[in-house]
Amino acid sequence: IEIEGYNVYVAGSPGSGRESTTYDYLRQFAPQRPTPSDWVYVHNFNQPDQPRAIQLPPGMGKQFARHMDEFITSAQRDIPRAFDSEDYERRYQDALAAIQRRRENLTTELQTFATERGFTLQMTPAGIVTVPIVNGQAIPPDQYQQLPEETRRAYEERNQEVQRQVSSTMREMRQLEKDAADRIRELEREVALFAVGPLFDELTERYAGHDEILTYLKEVQNDVPEHLQDFRPDQQRGQTPPMPGLPGGAPPEERLSRYQVNVFIDHSGTEGAPVLQE
């Protein structure tokens, strides 16, 4: 009866074979019924404390778990190899060189701006300091105070222009640093995705038609570039904060566990419906 709530009651004298007879019948009947689904849990990247359950055809759960373990192993090998390549190092240096050239141009333009207004610039722990120039020489504060009042007033007016330009240039410098970090992050993402692209292509082709798995694989593909330090333990560039719920000091193997598949119910060895004794 394919409705919940029904049961069969078997009565008989002790030793009459009630249990063995029931099981003999069930063992003949159960293989004719459909084999139940496998169930696996995977990491929920949006809500890490609420894993997602995925229903799969019998036997596929164990297979999917094995394929994801193989993916982790391959990614740990392929990602560091991609970042050790000459191509990555060249692109990395090119990106930094472009930023450095722009930084040097800004510095030169700022110094020229200050010189034209009678000042030289000095870097101190407190920031950029403007120093007046008289007869081509920077003068200390005591000599500056000895200048005629009208001359000092003219210097102060021009100094305000220089200070405004310094502030503007420093804003551009900070933006350059942000641009450099973004450019390196994008480069690392591109290199990482190129390294693991064939792995995802293989998994996507293998599990075509299983939408929940494909959605999970897409989330993994988006997550990997954000946690490259898990695949590159010796990485020093572009560190990313650890994912919520995992301490920053956890070993990479522990943090990589979010890509593992937890097989909750496995029917890979089941033929037909299972016979359960409670």
Side-chain angles (χ1 to χ4, degrees), residues 8-239:
V8 173
Y9 176 75
V10 181
S13 302
S16 62
R18 294 166 298 175
E19 182 175 351
S20 60
T21 299
T22 301
Y23 268 90
D24 285 344
Y25 174 75
L26 290 175
R27 290 191 184 98
Q28 297 177 38
F29 176 75
Q32 304 172 26
R33 307 301 296 158
T35 303
S37 301
D38 286 354
W39 284 88
V40 301
Y41 277 114
V42 296
H43 182 68
N44 186 335
F45 293 95
N46 296 321
Q47 295 177 291
D49 59 340
Q50 297 184 20
R52 290 210 317 266
I54 298 179
Q55 183 178 8
L56 296 173
M60 185 173 287
K62 204 173 191 179
Q63 169 188 292
F64 182 42
R66 184 179 73 254
H67 289 156
M68 287 306 297
D69 287 342
E70 293 172 354
F71 162 78
I72 295 172
T73 301
S74 298
Q76 286 179 296
R77 178 196 64 223
D78 295 345
I79 289 178
R81 184 182 297 171
F83 283 96
D84 286 340
S85 67
E86 293 182 1
D87 179 66
Y88 167 72
E89 187 61 27
R90 176 185 57 77
R91 295 176 64 187
Y92 179 86
Q93 294 300 335
D94 288 347
L96 290 187
I99 298 296
Q100 183 60 28
R101 284 193 299 270
R102 179 57 183 152
R103 183 194 300 271
E104 292 172 354
N105 290 338
L106 285 174
T107 302
T108 301
E109 292 170 3
L110 178 61
Q111 184 63 62
T112 301
F113 185 91
T115 301
E116 291 173 348
R117 285 154 183 80
F119 291 89
T120 186
L121 302 178
Q122 293 181 357
M123 295 296 299
T124 71
I128 298 178
V129 175
T130 57
V131 180
I133 298 175
V134 176
N135 297 326
Q137 297 293 327
I139 62 174
D142 56 342
Q143 292 184 24
Y144 175 75
Q145 293 300 326
Q146 296 174 9
L147 294 174
E149 181 178 353
E150 183 177 347
T151 301
R152 293 201 309 272
R153 188 180 302 114
Y155 269 106
E156 290 170 2
E157 291 177 357
R158 295 196 300 272
N159 186 42
Q160 291 180 4
E161 293 183 48
V162 175
Q163 291 295 341
R164 286 193 293 269
Q165 187 65 24
V166 168
S167 297
S168 175
T169 300
M170 293 307 297
R171 285 195 297 271
E172 289 192 60
M173 289 284 195
R174 287 191 290 271
Q175 184 61 43
L176 275 180
E177 293 176 2
K178 181 178 181 299
D179 292 345
D182 291 344
R183 185 173 299 186
I184 295 303
R185 191 179 301 110
E186 183 59 32
L187 172 61
E188 291 186 340
R189 178 181 180 84
E190 182 180 336
V191 170
L193 289 178
F194 180 79
V196 297
L199 304 178
F200 282 111
D201 291 343
E202 182 179 349
L203 287 170
T204 299
E205 182 178 351
R206 190 186 298 269
Y207 292 100
H210 298 280
D211 293 342
E212 289 187 278
I213 289 184
L214 295 180
T215 297
Y216 171 71
L217 291 175
K218 191 64 178 177
E219 292 176 351
V220 172
Q221 191 172 17
N222 291 332
D223 186 77
V224 166
E226 304 301 324
H227 299 89
L228 291 178
Q229 71 275 15
D230 295 344
F231 298 91
R232 304 168 61 199
D234 58 344
Q235 173 189 328
Q236 297 298 323
R237 302 166 178 165
Q239 293 294 331

